[in-house]
Amino acid sequence: MGHRVSSPIFVGRGTEAQALGSAFAAAGEGRPSMTVVAGDAGVGKTRLVREVEAQVHARAGLVLRGECLALSGEFPYAPIVAALRDAGRGVMSAQLGRLAQDTRSEIGRLVPEIAAELAGEGAQLNQGWLFERLLALLRHLGDEAPVLFVVEDGHWADASTLDFLSFLSRNLSDERVAAILTYRPDELETRHPLRVLLGELLRSEKVMSLTLEPLGTAEIQDLIEHIAEAPAPVALIEEIFTRSQGNPFFAEELLAASTDGDGSRLPASLRDALLVRCHGLSADAAMLVRTLAVLGRPADDAQLGAFAGIEEPWLSIALRSALEAHVISHRPHDDSFEFRHALLREALCGDLLPGERSALHRAIAEGLVDAGEGAPAELALHWDLAGEPASALEPSIRAGLDAERVYASAEARQHFERALRLWSLCDPAPEGLALDRVELLRHTAQVARLMGDWDAAIARCREAIELVDADAEPLRAALLHERAGEYMLWQDEAALEWYSTALELLPADCGCERARILGAKALALHFLHRWEESRDHSRAALDEARAAGASTEEAYAANVLGLALAFLGDHAEGERHVRDAMRIAEQCGTPEDTARTYAHLAEVLRIRGNVGGALEIMLEGEDLAARRGMENSFGRAMSFNAAEDLVRLGRWDEAAARLALVDQDQLSVLAQLLRASVCGRLAVGRGRLVEARAELQRALELCDEQTPVEFLVAPFAGLAELALCEDRPDDARAAVADALGRIADREEPLYVPVLFWLGVRAEVEAALAAGPRCDERAAGAAAAADLCERLERLAARYTSTDAPPEAIAYLALSRAELTRLGDCAPERWTTAARAWRALEHPLLEAYAGWREAEAALGSGRARADVAARLRAVCELACRLGAQPLVRRIESLAKAARIDISPEAPASASEARSSPAEFGLTPRELDVFELLAQGCTNRQISERLFISEKTTSIHVSRILSKVGADNRVRAAAIAHGVGMFDTRMAAD
C-alpha cells in the first residue's frame, strides 16, 4: 500500500485557479475581496487552495490559513486562531508593534501563543472591537505583503468565526487582503448558520462565488495516469469515472482499492474503499488512526502514543504504516499528523461502536490531564463523551469563561448550558469550581441575552434568584433582580416590579449600583409614557452616579433624563443631556450605553422636527453597532429607523435599497415588525398595493398587547393609508379606531399624531361619500371634529414654542381636512404645506399642495392662478414616485382643464447642472467632490472626519442620484456638467 494515491500534477481547475489568482493580484493593488468556494467532499477544494497558496508564496505574498474541524463549534474563532498561530512570531512581530496597546492586548487574549509579542492587559471590550483589531492586523500585514486569508471547511465553522467573516466582508475597503472560504453545500441544512451567512455575503460586491464541479472524463483519465505513471485501460477509466461521478478524491480511492485488492472488482461504496484501506493496517496503526479520529484535530507523535498507549519503537512503526497506507499525512510546519482527507476520519468514526468511542474519549481526556495539556473546551468535550460528568463540569465552566473573554457568546452559552446539564448529573457537585451555581446561571442568562434570546435569559435569571438567600446576600439578590428587569424586553410594567424590588434589597452604601438601577427604572417609566416619573428617577440616578464617581452610570442616567425632558417638551435641554451622555459614554461607558445614546439622540431630534439630523445620527449609530458587534441588538433597529427617516425625507430609492439588503431570517420579532411597516408604507406611497397589503398584514400579525406604541402605530397607519388610496374610507376608519383603542392612554407626541390626521381624513372621506344622506354626513363630520380636538389636546400639553413640530403639522392637516365639509379654505392647506415643507416631508407637502389647489379651484380662483402651484406639486410627487398621488393630481388638472406638463429644459446640462437638481445634500456634495478627485473611501473619511462605513453609504447614495454605475462614471458626470465650478461660484 505504499504506492502513490494522489496525482503529483495539478489536474483541471485551471480556470478556478486563475480566478483566485486574479483576486489575489487585485488585492495587491488595494482591491480586497472574499471568494466563497463551494464543492462537495472530495471534489478538490483543498487541492485548489493549496495550488493558489503556492502561487502566493511564489509572489512573496503571505498566506494565513485556518481549517475548521468537526469539533470547531467547541472553540471560538478556531480557524482564525490557527491562522494567526501558524503565521509565526517572525511574521507577526513587526506588525503587532504598529498596533495600539489595546489592540495588541485583544489579539493576545484571542491567541495566547503569540501573547509574548504583546503588552498590556487591555480593557474588557466586545466582539465588534475585537473584529476591528483583527482587521487592523490584517491591514498592517498587507502593508508589508499582500495577504491570502483562507478559512477551509466553513460548514464546520464556529458561530464567532462566521460573525467575523460577516464583519470582514462588510468592512474590507482598500486592504491588501484576499480571503477564501471553502465549504460543502451538502452539509448545509435549511437553518445552517453558514447558509444564512452566505445569503448575506453574496449580496456584497466584494464577495465572489466559485463552485467546483466534478471533473470530466478526460480529466479523470489524466488524474489516473499521473498517479499510475502509465497509460490506464479504457475500461478502468470508464468504470472509475462512472463510479466516482467525476469526484477526484473518490476516483483516487477507487483506483487505490483496485490496485490494493485483487483488481477484479471495485468496492461497493466509497466508505467501503476507505475502510478497506484502514482495515489493512496493523493493530497498533489501527489504534492510532481510531484515536486520531476521535481526537478530532491534528496531533504529534508523542500525544498520539500517549492517548493510544503505544510506546517506541512500536509507535514509529505504526505511524509509518499509516503514512504509507495514505490514511494520515505529516504536517511539517508543526510536526503533527492529520488525516489525508476529512472523509477518512468520518468513515472511521462512523465505524466505531459506542463502547469503543467512549473508551477512546476517556483515554484522550486522561492523557491530556496527565500531560497538563488541552484547552478546557477540549477536556470538557472528551470527559462528557466519555460519560464522566463530574470530570467534565469544571472544564465546561472554564471553557464558557474563556469564550466570554473573547466575546464569543454562542460558544460561551454552549459551554455554560452543558455545565448546567452536567451539574444536574453530579451529586454532590465537585468542590473548587470556578463558579457556583448562581454565578453559572447568571453568566448563562447574560450570554443568552447577548444572543437575543430574552426568554432564556429571564428563565435562567429566575433560577438564579430562587437559589439566593436575599437576607444573607442582599447585594447579589438586588443585582439579579436588576438583571431580570433588563431581560423583560418590552414588558415594562413587569420590569418596574423587578427594579423596585432590586432597590428595596440594595444595601444603603451601594451608590453606583443604585444609580444604575434607578436609571434602568427611569427608562422603563419612559417606555410607559410616565415621563414626569422618568424625569425624577433619572435625576435621582444622575445625582447618585455623580456622588459615587460612576461615569458609566452617569452617562446612562443623563441619557434617559434627556429623553424624558424631550418628551415633556423641553427639547433643547433634553438634547443637551443626551449629547452629554454620548460624550461620557464614548469615553468610558459600555458599548451598549454608547449605542443607546445614538438611539435616544435621534429620537430627540425627531421630536424637534429635525428628521435629517436624526438620519445622520442613525447612520453613525449603525456604523458604531457594526464595529462593536451589536448589529442584532442595535444595528438592525437603527438601520430600519434610518430607512423610515429616508421615507419621510422623500429619499425612497435609498430606503428601498436599504430594506432590500436585510435577510429577514436574522431579525427579531420587533425588527421584522419595523421592517414590514416601513416596507408597507413605502409600497402604499408608490402605489404597489398588493405588496403593501402583504407587508402591512405581516406587520399586523406581529403586533400584540406588549408591542410599544412606536412600533404599533406604523402598521395601522399604513393600513389606513392603503384603504384611503383604494377609496375605502370605512376600512381606514376601522384601522385608526383599532390602533387608538390599543394605545388607550399611551398617546404621545411623536408617533401617534399621524393616526389622528388619518382618522380625520377617513371620517371626512366617508362623510363626503355619504352624499345627501344628512345623518351619515353629520356623524362623519362630528367624528372628524372629535379626532381633531383630541389631537389639539395632545398638542396643547406643550407651549407653542416647545410643541413637537410634526404634531403641529398634523394638526394643521387635520384642521384643513375639516374644511372639505364646509366652505373651501385654501389658506388652511397652504399653512399645512408650509409646515411639511419646513419638516422636509415632501409627500405630505405634495398632498397638502394638491388639496390647496383643489380648494382654490373650489373657491372660484382662476385656473391660471392655480396652474403653477398644481404643476409644482405634480413635479414633486413625480420626483418621489408617488404614483397614487400623481394620478389624483393629474385627475384634478384634467377636470379643471389645466396643462401641468413640465416645461422641457434648454439642454441636458442645464437640466441637471446643479447639486440641488441632483438632490445632493451638502454632506454628499463634500463627499462627491473628493470622489471626483479620485480619493478612496478611506481618504474621504480622513478628510471629512467621518467613518468609512458612513462614507460608503454616501458614495452609494451619490451613485444612485447621479445615475452612475461606478465612481469613474460619477466623476465624469460631475466634471461634464461643471458641478464643482457651480459650487465654487456659489461659495
Side-chain angles (χ1 to χ4, degrees):
M1 297 176 67
H3 55 77
R4 176 183 292 133
V5 295
S6 60
S7 171
I9 306 299
F10 185 56
V11 176
R13 314 300 187 204
T15 301
E16 294 87 347
Q18 184 178 8
L20 293 175
S22 297
F24 178 75
E29 298 171 358
R31 290 180 284 124
S33 65
M34 178 183 292
T35 304
V36 178
V37 180
D40 294 338
V43 81
K45 300 183 296 297
T46 297
R47 185 68 187 268
L48 169 64
V49 171
R50 294 296 180 275
E51 182 71 16
V52 175
E53 288 175 0
Q55 296 175 14
V56 169
H57 285 305
R59 299 181 191 177
L62 173 63
V63 175
L64 298 178
R65 173 166 53 85
E67 300 171 5
C68 304
L69 304 174
L71 303 183
S72 289
E74 300 283 328
F75 305 94
Y77 314 109
I80 300 170
V81 171
L84 297 180
R85 181 197 298 127
D86 290 349
R89 296 181 181 178
V91 174
M92 292 288 184
S93 57
Q95 304 314 321
L96 288 169
R98 297 175 58 186
L99 301 174
Q101 179 174 322
D102 61 348
T103 301
R104 299 197 303 270
S105 299
E106 290 300 297
I107 294 173
R109 187 196 301 265
L110 178 65
V111 191
E113 289 80 359
I114 63 172
E117 304 284 346
L118 311 176
E121 289 299 320
Q124 181 75 12
L125 303 175
N126 72 359
Q127 191 181 64
W129 285 40
L130 174 62
F131 289 174
E132 283 193 312
R133 283 146 175 74
L134 288 171
L135 181 59
L137 177 58
L138 290 175
R139 181 179 300 126
H140 288 312
L141 289 170
D143 289 342
E144 296 299 317
V147 176
L148 183 70
F149 178 53
V150 179
V151 175
E152 288 206 70
D153 293 322
H155 49 277
W156 286 327
D158 58 278
S160 298
T161 292
L162 296 180
D163 288 341
F164 176 68
L165 292 173
S166 173
F167 171 89
L168 186 65
S169 71
R170 287 181 283 103
N171 289 275
L172 286 172
S173 55
D174 55 4
E175 294 82 4
R176 299 209 299 165
V177 176
I180 297 176
L181 169 67
T182 71
Y183 75 99
R184 299 185 200 168
D186 56 334
E187 293 280 347
L188 307 187
E189 72 275 9
T190 304
R191 301 299 301 167
H192 193 288
L194 180 57
R195 182 184 291 275
V196 176
L197 174 62
L198 290 172
E200 173 189 331
L201 292 180
L202 296 178
R203 287 194 293 265
S204 170
E205 62 181 12
K206 292 186 177 69
V207 178
M208 298 174 289
S209 178
L210 198 62
T211 300
L212 298 192
E213 303 295 344
L215 298 178
T217 307
E219 292 168 320
I220 290 294
Q221 179 177 350
D222 287 345
L223 183 76
I224 292 172
E225 293 182 346
H226 283 310
I227 293 172
E229 298 182 326
V234 173
L236 179 64
I237 292 171
E238 290 179 351
E239 185 172 5
I240 288 179
F241 176 74
T242 301
R243 294 282 300 282
S244 69
Q245 297 184 338
N247 184 296
F249 179 71
F250 294 1
E252 291 173 355
E253 290 301 316
L254 291 167
L255 176 63
S258 71
T259 304
D260 297 332
D262 61 13
S264 62
R265 63 185 181 89
L266 295 177
S269 68
L270 173 67
R271 179 176 177 275
D272 290 339
L274 296 174
L275 292 178
V276 164
R277 177 187 297 281
C278 297
H279 289 165
L281 297 173
S282 67
D284 283 347
M287 174 57 77
L288 281 180
V289 297
R290 286 198 296 268
T291 301
L292 184 59
V294 171
L295 180 62
R297 61 168 174 81
D300 61 33
D301 54 350
Q303 289 176 320
L304 282 174
F307 299 153
I310 302 173
E311 298 179 352
E312 292 290 2
W314 316 115
L315 174 60
S316 292
I317 294 171
L319 281 171
R320 186 170 299 280
S321 173
L323 285 166
E324 290 178 349
H326 302 289
V327 174
I328 63 174
S329 59
H330 182 242
R331 297 170 19 132
H333 67 281
D334 62 0
D335 207 23
S336 66
F337 298 89
E338 64 181 352
F339 283 98
R340 189 171 75 84
H341 197 285
L343 287 173
L344 280 160
R345 177 187 177 272
E346 293 170 28
L348 275 169
C349 284
D351 196 46
L352 289 171
L353 297 173
E356 291 178 306
R357 189 179 294 110
S358 61
L360 285 170
H361 281 297
R362 183 178 292 104
I364 291 169
E366 291 171 347
L368 289 170
V369 171
D370 291 343
E373 298 174 349
E378 187 174 27
L379 287 168
L381 175 71
H382 290 300
W383 281 125
D384 186 24
L385 294 178
E388 300 288 349
S391 298
L393 179 54
E394 169 68 7
S396 289
I397 294 173
R398 291 197 177 279
L401 294 173
D402 286 347
E404 268 192 326
R405 215 164 3 251
V406 292
Y407 328 115
S409 297
E411 289 76 17
R413 184 181 182 186
Q414 176 181 327
H415 293 305
F416 289 144
E417 290 288 357
R418 172 194 282 153
L420 288 170
R421 173 178 59 81
L422 294 169
W423 200 305
S424 67
L425 300 175
C426 299
D427 187 20
E431 296 182 359
L433 297 174
L435 300 175
D436 64 17
R437 190 170 177 83
V438 171
E439 281 301 291
L440 177 57
L441 286 163
R442 184 181 70 81
H443 279 265
T444 308
Q446 182 63 7
V447 292
R449 182 258 186 212
L450 291 173
M451 293 182 67
D453 192 344
W454 299 87
D455 291 340
I458 188 61
R460 291 305 191 191
C461 195
R462 287 178 186 271
E463 288 182 59
I465 289 171
E466 291 174 2
L467 295 175
V468 174
D469 182 347
D471 293 331
E473 299 180 284
L475 176 58
R476 194 183 204 188
L479 293 179
L480 284 171
H481 279 77
E482 184 268 334
R483 287 289 84 198
E486 177 73 16
Y487 299 152
M488 301 301 294
L489 182 66
W490 305 121
Q491 301 177 52
D492 297 300
E493 291 286 3
L496 278 182
E497 295 183 17
W498 288 107
Y499 293 139
S500 297
T501 303
L503 290 169
E504 293 170 4
L505 292 170
L506 195 67
D509 59 344
C510 299
C512 177
E513 291 81 2
R514 187 175 303 280
R516 187 71 182 192
I517 299 171
L518 280 168
K521 186 176 181 180
L523 186 59
L525 288 164
H526 165 79
F527 288 131
L528 290 169
H529 299 170
R530 292 159 61 176
W531 295 307
E532 290 86 356
E533 294 174 74
S534 177
R535 175 197 59 201
D536 296 342
H537 277 75
S538 52
R539 279 178 173 163
L542 194 58
D543 292 342
E544 289 276 2
R546 287 171 175 168
S551 298
T552 298
E553 284 68 26
E554 179 184 358
Y556 190 104
N559 191 21
V560 181
L561 175 58
L563 195 62
L565 289 173
F567 273 84
L568 286 169
D570 196 347
H571 304 150
E573 189 67 7
E575 182 176 343
R576 183 183 70 80
H577 276 291
V578 177
R579 289 192 181 276
D580 284 347
M582 181 180 288
R583 174 181 52 80
I584 298 170
E586 287 178 338
Q587 291 173 350
C588 59
T590 67
E592 281 197 21
D593 289 336
T594 305
R596 193 176 281 113
T597 63
Y598 279 83
H600 288 187
L601 179 57
E603 200 77 335
V604 170
L605 291 173
R606 292 186 190 103
I607 294 172
R608 301 197 74 172
N610 185 2
V611 177
L615 172 62
E616 291 298 325
I617 292 295
M618 283 294 89
L619 295 178
E620 293 176 16
E622 182 186 16
D623 184 26
L624 172 86
R627 287 187 288 108
R628 300 193 178 183
M630 297 181 293
E631 277 194 297
N632 290 333
S633 53
F634 282 95
R636 299 296 186 197
M638 288 179 174
S639 181
F640 292 140
N641 281 327
E644 189 171 26
D645 291 337
L646 287 166
V647 172
R648 292 187 187 189
L649 292 167
R651 292 155 60 174
W652 289 3
D653 288 342
E654 296 172 60
R658 173 176 290 272
L659 293 165
L661 289 175
V662 176
D663 188 334
Q664 297 185 55
D665 291 338
Q666 297 179 315
L667 302 180
S668 66
V669 171
L670 285 175
Q672 291 180 53
L673 170 55
L674 181 54
R675 180 201 167 279
S677 298
V678 178
C679 286
R681 296 187 73 181
L682 177 57
V684 172
R686 285 179 154 174
R688 299 173 182 173
L689 305 187
V690 174
E691 175 188 341
R693 185 173 292 103
E695 292 283 8
L696 293 169
Q697 191 59 42
R698 170 62 177 155
L700 191 62
E701 291 169 357
L702 294 168
C703 293
D704 59 29
E705 64 277 2
Q706 294 175 349
T707 302
V709 169
E710 57 266 35
F711 291 89
L712 186 67
V713 167
F716 285 97
L719 287 169
E721 290 165 340
L722 175 62
L724 289 168
C725 188
E726 295 178 328
D727 296 321
R728 296 183 288 108
D730 288 343
D731 290 339
R733 295 160 73 187
V736 171
D738 191 355
L740 292 175
R742 294 190 189 211
I743 291 170
D745 57 351
R746 294 184 291 163
E747 295 173 2
E748 50 75 54
L750 181 57
Y751 295 98
V752 173
V754 64
L755 288 175
F756 287 114
W757 163 61
L758 287 170
V760 171
R761 181 181 168 190
E763 294 292 353
V764 169
E765 297 282 0
L768 291 173
R773 290 172 287 181
C774 297
D775 291 344
E776 291 186 28
R777 188 181 179 99
D786 178 65
L787 287 167
C788 191
E789 288 175 8
R790 289 175 64 181
L791 180 54
E792 286 177 341
R793 288 196 297 271
L794 179 61
R797 298 177 188 173
Y798 309 91
T799 66
S800 60
T801 57
D802 62 19
E806 275 205 10
I808 299 303
Y810 277 120
L811 181 57
L813 273 180
S814 299
R815 288 169 172 165
E817 296 283 1
L818 291 178
T819 65
R820 296 171 60 201
L821 295 174
D823 295 332
C824 295
E827 67 279 0
R828 290 277 192 180
W829 292 107
T830 304
T831 299
R834 286 174 179 167
W836 288 113
R837 186 181 309 118
L839 291 171
E840 297 183 276
H841 198 318
L843 178 63
L844 292 184
E845 177 193 348
Y847 171 81
W850 164 52
R851 292 295 191 191
E852 176 190 351
E854 181 182 56
L857 291 169
S859 63
R861 191 174 301 174
R863 290 196 302 274
D865 296 337
V866 179
R869 178 62 172 148
L870 202 55
R871 186 177 297 112
V873 169
C874 188
E875 181 182 347
L876 178 57
C878 286
R879 201 157 56 235
L880 280 173
Q883 291 306 311
L885 182 56
V886 169
R887 287 193 291 270
R888 292 178 185 268
I889 294 169
E890 290 175 342
S891 177
L892 175 63
K894 183 178 180 180
R897 301 192 303 280
I898 296 174
D899 181 8
I900 59 172
S901 57
E903 296 178 1
S907 68
S909 62
E910 290 177 12
R912 304 193 74 176
S913 61
S914 72
E917 288 170 339
F918 275 109
L920 296 172
T921 66
R923 174 57 88 189
E924 288 167 352
L925 192 59
D926 293 335
V927 173
F928 197 5
E929 185 169 10
L930 294 174
L931 182 154
Q933 294 172 14
C935 294
T936 66
N937 283 6
R938 180 176 297 171
Q939 291 168 331
I940 294 171
S941 302
E942 290 171 350
R943 295 194 190 185
L944 297 181
F945 303 100
I946 58 178
S947 72
E948 285 187 48
K949 181 156 187 182
T950 301
T951 298
S952 178
I953 292 169
H954 283 312
V955 169
S956 297
R957 199 178 294 155
I958 290 164
L959 296 182
S960 174
K961 289 184 177 182
V962 303
D965 54 5
N966 57 53
R967 300 164 73 99
V968 174
R969 176 62 181 151
I973 292 171
H975 293 302
V977 300
M979 177 178 292
F980 301 117
D981 295 339
T982 303
R983 188 186 186 201
M984 286 187 290
D987 291 340

